[in-house]
Amino acid sequence: DQKETVMVYFIQEDGSKLPGKARVGDNLLDVVVENDLDIDGFGACEGTLACSTCHLIFKKKDYDNLPEAPTDEELDMLDLAYGLTEESRLGCQVIVTKDMEGLEVRVPQGIADAREPS
Ligand code: FES
């Protein structure tokens, strides 16, 4: 049912681990917002696929288990993300599922907001 929640953890570059209660069906940006997690600059475009500040790095096995493959729009935006990896996704495009209980994702340092000219 829609009240189902899982715990996910956001690991920052300094090693700190921020726990977030995630509602199944929400995306990972919602989780950061709803849990009021203090991640600098995260989710600047509020999930409209116009920045890349919600860049998250998954473990290989978790990445492979994600239910939805990234869309072309997400991939284009990811290309602009700082520190892109093979297991990178944009948090606002990843929907929480029941099997994400205990999921750990890395928050890369050096957030690039694609909306701001550098
Ligand atoms: Fe901007 Fe995800 S919050 S692309």
Side-chain angles (χ1 to χ4, degrees), residues 29 43-54 77 90 92-93:
L29 170 63
C45 79
E46 296 171 346
T48 56
L49 218 43
C51 70
S52 58
T53 64
C54 62
M77 199 45 69
L90 292 177
C92 68
Q93 304 301 309

Side-chain angles (χ1 to χ4, degrees), residues 95-108:
I95 304 298
V96 176
T97 62
K98 275 191 233 172
D99 15 293
M100 287 187 188
E101 178 60 51
L103 177 75
E104 292 184 352
V105 290
R106 263 192 325 115
V107 183

